[in-house]
Each structure stands twice: as structure tokens, then as C-alpha cells.
Amino acid sequence: MVYTTLLPKSWFRVQLTHASEDKQPRRGGKTLIEQLRDRCPTLANPAKAYYVPPWHLPQGDMQTIYLYTQHFKPAGCAIEYEREIFEFADGGKAGIDWALPRKDAGPSTPLIILVPGIGGTSYDYYARSFIHNLRKQLPECQVAVLQSRGCNGVELVTPKAFHGGLTDDLREFVEHIAKRLPDTPLIGIGFSLGANILTKYVGEEGHSCRFHAAASVCNPFDIDMTVNKMSQPTFKNRYLYAAALTRSLIAMFTSNQKAIMAGDIELDANAIRTARNMTEFNEAYTARVFGYGSAKELNMSGSCVQHIKNIHIPMLFINALDDPMCYKQTIPIDEIKQNPNLVLAVTRHGGHLAYFGGTGLAPWLPPQLTQFVGAMLEWV
């Protein structure tokens, strides 16, 4: 438990991966990595970029479990929101939570769009702690949290809910915002499976992407490999991560069963309710309603890794090697090296979306994301 105090600080240095500087885009006389080194020193400057976990939470599982407990503690970063119900073209609805106070739209009021993990909400600690930090450092920014259909108090009104590679809803919302706020700079930040969705969307859009820049945090990259590893019969999967995700999916179905079963696709409600893992749930429900032949086909089609080569905006990826839900084997290091618009920051520790540090367990991640937002808004 105390090994973090015994190892040299260099052990905890943030490891950066990116294309050679001569291939990177250059703005205002600086390459992308030069801008990050200057404006994001604790993330990208080798002399200052370290993440040292606290001695009493040194390991990824411990950090991830502790993060879960913080979702129920708003003290310290309480955020008030204004709810907007966004209706999609197919009649579906999702809650868009705008962090208060709302600001007048315009070129000087950047909008940060957060995409939480599947089933995640604006109340999750990683979202609230980021907004809390952003308010202090970049008060001119406003934030909107795009939640999935059927989440955080919004009733599911279509048979289709969500999946880890669904970019249609994000695309429709971004296009709506681009028309409603045409002069507003947009930056996207995705977390967990929301990072996969955001990355896939940015790659699909290519040169037409509306975002000025984007960041991905704890991205699984390859959903099929991730689900396969989470389906292995280990103690952690059986009783912690995979089990919790499966329970949350079944709970979503149970609370929205009427709308889901009202669709044209024939579904076996009992098979969905009794699914033992995510693959069984997706075979019985998700793959069927979204038109895929199998859960594997759904996973492979939804993985963002195949779209990374088509990203044409600056994008930052942050992943921890001890993440117990997004595995280090899925990090596409070669693909990121080959795209000059991308930078990957890897830490040895941090768990899944946790990154607590110091004796006070202050979150390390929010300042890094805030620095990145500021750096990208300046890099024109």
C-alpha cells in the first residue's frame, strides 16, 4: 500500500504518444504538442507531468470503487443544472443538462459538450468535478451534458435506448447546436463508453466535424475485446464491474419495458431480464432493436478504433494502465501515432475515471481537461 511513497517520481510520469512534430498541424507558430506542453504543463510537459496516486488508494480497483461512492456526495462540487428535453427526429427524447448559470451565446462563450458513459448522468462525480474546476479557471465557458435516452429521469419513449457505438443522437444534437449557436466554439469531452461514442463520431464526421477539439477519457476503444475480457469468469467480473453494468442495463429495460416491447421487433422479455452478462443482454435486446445480427457484430461495428485514422481535429486521449474496465491491450498506440491530430496521455495508475490524488483525494483529472480546453481555445 505504501509503495507509491518508495518509488522514484519518474515512475509516475505521464507517458505521451503522438506523431512526430514535423507532421503535426501548426497554428500560431506552434505544433499541437508544443501548445499542450506550454498550456497543459501537468499533462504534457515532461518536467511537470506526473500522476501519483495516494498511498491509501494506490490501485485501480480501489480508486474506481471509491469514485462510485462519490457519485452520492455533491458536497464540494455541487452543480445546479437547467434541464432541456431534446427530441430526436424519430420521436425519442434525452435530457440535456445545462450547467448554471447559463451564458449568452457567442464567439466568446465556448460550449463544452460532455458525453457521459453509458447510463451516466450529469450527477456523476467526474462530470461535476470537471464543471466545478472549469468554472474557476475558464468562467466564460458553458457546459451541456448530453445524457442517453431513458436516463436521469427522462422516460424512454422509443424501443431503441442506447449502445456504446451509437453516434446518431450525438450527431443530431451537435447539428442542432451548430444551427442554434452558429458562432459558438464547440469542444467535446467523452467519458468511458461516452468517449468511444465521441471518438467514433469525430472520425465519422472527418473534415466536416463541428467540434473545434475533443478529449476522450478512459476509452475502451475496442468494445468487442473489452466485453470479451469483462465476460471472463473472474471474481471482479462476476461480482463487480461486469455484474454492475449488466444489472444497470436490466434495470433500464425493466423501467422502460412498456416502450421497448411496443416496437415492431419481437423480443423475449424474460431473456432480457435474466441476462447473465452484457453479451446475453445485447443478444436479447440491443443488437436486435438496432438491426445487428449478433452482439459481436454490434460490438465490432460500434468500436471507435476503426475511425481514429479519419479524425481531423485536435483530440486528446487519457487512459490509465490499471483501469479495471478499459484494458491497456485495447489502447491503439500505433493508430494514434499515425494521426498527427492526436495525442495520447497514459498514466500507470488512476483506475476508471477516478484519478484521485494526495492525502485529500483531490481529483487530478479535472485540471488536466480544463487546461486542454483552454489550450485549444487559444490555439487558433
Side-chain angles (χ1 to χ4, degrees):
M1 294 291 184
V2 298
Y3 83 99
T4 58
T5 63
L6 302 176
L7 291 170
K9 192 174 182 180
S10 59
W11 178 262
F12 303 103
R13 182 175 288 121
V14 178
Q15 301 296 320
L16 296 183
T17 297
H18 53 81
S20 60
E21 292 194 45
D22 62 307
K23 296 181 180 178
Q24 289 190 343
R26 183 180 292 272
R27 299 177 188 172
K30 291 182 180 179
T31 64
L32 173 59
I33 193 61
E34 287 174 335
Q35 178 69 359
L36 294 183
R37 288 193 194 114
D38 288 348
R39 307 305 296 168
C40 309
T42 55
L43 181 72
N45 185 328
K48 300 178 180 180
Y50 300 90
Y51 168 66
V52 182
W55 67 267
H56 49 310
L57 284 180
Q59 192 259 356
D61 293 303
M62 299 171 68
Q63 291 238 359
T64 303
I65 293 170
Y66 182 75
L67 172 67
Y68 178 76
T69 69
Q70 300 310 293
H71 292 331
F72 308 101
K73 297 179 181 179
C77 57
I79 304 296
E80 293 185 357
Y81 296 99
E82 179 180 295
R83 170 64 56 85
E84 174 186 352
I85 302 297
F86 185 78
E87 185 167 341
F88 299 101
D90 67 352
K93 297 178 181 180
I96 313 298
D97 285 351
W98 294 80
L100 296 176
R102 293 283 292 272
K103 306 181 190 319
D104 294 333
S108 61
T109 310
L111 173 59
I112 317 304
I113 298 176
L114 303 188
V115 188
I118 288 299
T121 75
S122 61
Y123 194 72
D124 288 347
Y125 183 75
Y126 58 79
R128 289 186 288 116
S129 59
F130 165 68
I131 296 171
H132 182 73
N133 186 270
L134 186 76
R135 278 179 171 176
K136 293 190 296 183
Q137 303 301 323
L138 296 172
E140 69 275 16
C141 294
Q142 61 180 346
V143 180
V145 185
L146 171 62
Q147 294 151 119
S148 297
R149 302 184 188 203
C151 292
N152 202 9
V154 177
E155 183 182 6
L156 185 67
V157 295
T158 59
K160 295 179 179 180
F162 50 76
H163 67 80
L166 179 65
T167 55
D168 292 346
D169 287 357
L170 174 59
R171 179 173 293 104
E172 194 168 337
F173 176 66
V174 171
E175 289 176 354
H176 167 77
I177 289 295
K179 292 177 182 177
R180 192 168 94 184
L181 307 173
D183 298 324
T184 298
L186 304 179
I187 292 180
I189 302 179
F191 301 88
S192 190
L193 275 171
N196 181 82
I197 291 171
L198 176 64
T199 304
K200 182 170 176 277
Y201 163 79
V202 172
E204 289 173 344
E205 293 295 291
H207 289 287
S208 301
C209 185
R210 302 274 190 169
F211 284 118
H212 180 72
S216 153
V217 183
C218 297
N219 192 331
F221 294 107
D222 186 328
I223 297 177
D224 191 55
M225 183 186 298
T226 300
V227 169
N228 287 339
K229 289 183 73 65
M230 292 190 77
S231 298
Q232 294 175 3
T234 65
F235 177 87
K236 289 194 295 185
N237 287 340
R238 189 181 299 275
Y239 297 105
L240 292 176
Y241 309 116
L245 287 172
T246 303
R247 286 196 300 269
S248 69
L249 292 172
I250 293 173
M252 180 280 300
F253 169 77
T254 301
S255 60
N256 295 285
Q257 183 172 339
K258 183 177 179 180
I260 290 173
M261 298 302 292
D264 296 331
I265 304 297
E266 184 176 345
L267 300 171
D268 184 338
N270 185 62
I272 299 172
R273 284 194 301 266
T274 59
R276 294 170 298 177
N277 52 50
M278 289 179 290
T279 297
E280 289 187 2
F281 182 88
N282 286 336
E283 288 284 1
Y285 167 63
T286 317
R288 292 180 60 81
V289 297
F290 282 98
Y292 292 94
S294 66
K296 185 176 182 64
E297 183 184 342
L298 169 73
N299 294 339
M300 295 184 69
S301 174
S303 297
C304 72
V305 64
Q306 60 198 314
H307 299 278
I308 284 178
K309 62 181 180 296
N310 298 319
I311 293 175
H312 291 280
I313 64 170
M315 190 159 187
L316 169 69
F317 298 89
I318 300 177
N319 278 74
L321 295 181
D322 70 351
D323 188 326
M325 301 177 73
C326 296
Y327 306 98
K328 60 184 179 182
Q329 294 90 341
T330 69
I331 300 175
I333 293 175
D334 291 339
E335 289 85 347
I336 289 173
K337 278 184 178 179
Q338 293 169 11
N339 187 327
N341 300 296
L342 312 181
V343 173
L344 167 67
V346 171
T347 60
R348 289 184 182 272
H349 305 281
H352 188 67
L353 303 173
Y355 284 102
F356 294 101
T359 56
L361 299 180
W364 175 85
L365 190 59
Q368 317 314 318
L369 294 175
T370 298
Q371 288 179 15
F372 175 74
V373 169
M376 293 299 95
L377 293 173
E378 292 178 3
W379 195 53
V380 294

